[in-house]
Every structure is written in C-alpha cells, then in structure tokens.
Amino acid sequence: MNNRPLNEVAMADEDQTSIVERVYAQLRELAIRFELLPGDRVNEVELARRFGVSRTPLREALNRLVSDGFLVFVAGKGFFRRSLDVKEVFDLYEMRQKLEIALAELAVERATEEQLQEIRDFLAVSRKEDPARTVNDLVALDEAFHERMAALSGNAEMQHTLRAINARIRFIRWVNMEHGRRTQTQSEHSAILDAVAARNPELARTMLQAHIDGRLDEITRAIREGYAMIYMNRARSGIGGPNRA
C-alpha cells in the first residue's frame, strides 16, 4: 500500500506528465525535421541519455508519435521513423485540401471584419522580402497563414486536425519552398483571403483547390529531392536533417 501523502502522489504524477510532454515535444521536432532518418530504428538508449530521462517516459512519448503517424512500431524490433511514402503524402494533401475548403466555407459565414483585417496585416508583414529569413521561417509563415484562416471558422476540432496534418507534411512544404514557390504562395494567400472577405465560398473553394494541389508527380519529385537533401545534409553535418537552421 502506498502511504505517501496524496499531495506528494499528485505532484509526482504531475512531474511525470510534464517529463513525457517535454520528451514528446522534443522527439516530435526531431521527427518533423527528419533528424530521425526515414526507415531507421530509433535508438532508445541513446535518446534516453540525450534527454536525461528513463525509458518509461521515453516509451510513452514514442507511442504517441506512433499514433501521430511519425513512427511505426514493429514487435520484437522496436520503433522506426516512418518513411516518406508517396501515396501517404498524397492522401494527407487531399485531406488537407478538403478540410481547408470546409474551413473557408465556415469562415465566409463567421469571420468578422476585424479578424480579416488582422490577417491582411499579417500578410503585409509576411510578404516583405527579408534576406535574413530562412526556409524554416518561410514555412512557418506559410503554416501560420493557413492556421489563421482556419481559426476564422471558429471550429477548434477542425483546427486541431489541420495542425496535425501540417506537422506531417511540413517537410514537403520545406522542399517546395526551397525550390522557389515563395512569390506564388504569397499571391495565392492574398487571393484566398480576398475570396473569404468577399463572402464568396465558390471562389474560396476554387482558390484553395488550386493552391493545395498535391499532384502525385509533384509529390514524387518532392520526396525524391527531399531524400537527397536529408542525406546530403546529414553527410555534411554528421547530425541534422534539412530543417536545421
């Protein structure tokens, strides 16, 4: 029987929860950045030493990443970084497109003029050329626009789903931004916002269908180029993936 005072037990549980959250957040970033190489087995001993934790919170965090779609677990072998799969990425883009169209339709009905102006102000800053911005910064700005637009819907559950999709396709976004989609992306963002501000769901749908166009041939190209960058940067630095800035 555990004779520890209830407040001490609660504090211990809270500490354990915070440790798992910290390790999960750190591992998730490693997975998003492909510092865990595609198809490679996760070295639990090394990660536990790196994060200064026991195997128990590490295992809990790894299992959450399996649920998130970043890792796979093979019985008797352990955890592996999920490889980039063309069909899987295509499905994610298709889901993202349909979800953002639905969110835009809600935004047409619910967005206030004040909210729309806030996004206009955001675009005015984000579209400015800044040589100090990294590709990581540009990807973050791209995601921020779409998540701000999603927030206009007022639907928290749909926003949560979109954030989860964005995390899993961030690497493909990174590849596309690296190959010069910056100017096109900015102009399309403005057109999407204008369609929502005009309360025109049909136009918003058309704009988003064109903007989030995950064609199989483009995804195949992005994955091929992405693998090349992952291993080239790993060879150069000895550690990080392409998103290390």
Side-chain angles (χ1 to χ4, degrees), residues 145-146 149 188-197 204 207-208 211:
F145 167 77
H146 286 276
M149 291 296 295
E188 290 174 0
H189 285 176
S190 295
I192 292 165
L193 178 60
D194 288 344
V196 171
M207 294 292 101
L208 282 163
H211 182 68

Side-chain angles (χ1 to χ4, degrees), residues 61-107:
L62 290 170
N63 280 315
R64 285 179 62 181
L65 288 170
V66 171
S67 298
D68 289 349
F70 291 107
L71 304 179
V72 294
F73 178 75
V74 180
K77 294 185 178 181
F79 296 90
F80 293 80
R81 176 62 173 97
R82 185 188 290 271
S83 297
L84 284 165
D85 178 80
V86 172
K87 180 60 166 61
E88 184 177 292
V89 175
F90 174 81
D91 288 348
L92 286 168
Y93 265 87
E94 186 174 60
M95 184 177 177
R96 176 193 166 203
Q97 184 188 68
K98 301 303 181 186
L99 180 60
E100 288 209 38
I101 288 170
L103 285 162
E105 289 171 347
L106 291 174

Side-chain angles (χ1 to χ4, degrees), residues 46 49 69 72 102 114 143 175 215 222:
E46 180 184 328
R49 186 184 304 116
V72 294
E114 182 181 2
E143 283 189 17
V175 173
R215 294 196 304 271

Side-chain angles (χ1 to χ4, degrees), residues 23 43-56 58:
V23 174
N43 188 326
E44 294 181 50
V45 174
E46 180 184 328
L47 287 175
R49 186 184 304 116
R50 177 174 178 175
F51 297 140
V53 297
S54 69
R55 296 283 286 277
T56 299
L58 178 65

Side-chain angles (χ1 to χ4, degrees), residues 199-219:
R199 313 295 173 177
N200 189 330
E202 291 79 13
L203 182 58
R205 184 184 306 112
T206 300
M207 294 292 101
L208 282 163
Q209 283 173 337
H211 182 68
I212 310 171
D213 183 19
R215 294 196 304 271
L216 277 173
D217 60 333
E218 291 188 348
I219 289 170

Side-chain angles (χ1 to χ4, degrees), residues 100 103-104 107 111-112 114-126 140-155 159 162-163 166 173 189 192-193 196:
E100 288 209 38
L103 285 162
T112 67
E114 182 181 2
Q115 290 173 317
L116 292 165
Q117 185 57 49
E118 287 175 359
I119 299 180
R120 288 191 189 95
D121 294 341
F122 168 80
L123 284 179
V125 173
S126 67
L141 289 170
D142 181 37
E143 283 189 17
F145 167 77
H146 286 276
E147 292 182 9
R148 283 168 181 258
M149 291 296 295
L152 299 178
S153 71
N155 189 307
Q159 292 173 62
L162 179 62
R163 284 192 292 271
N166 282 340
R173 263 185 156 127
H189 285 176
I192 292 165
L193 178 60
V196 171

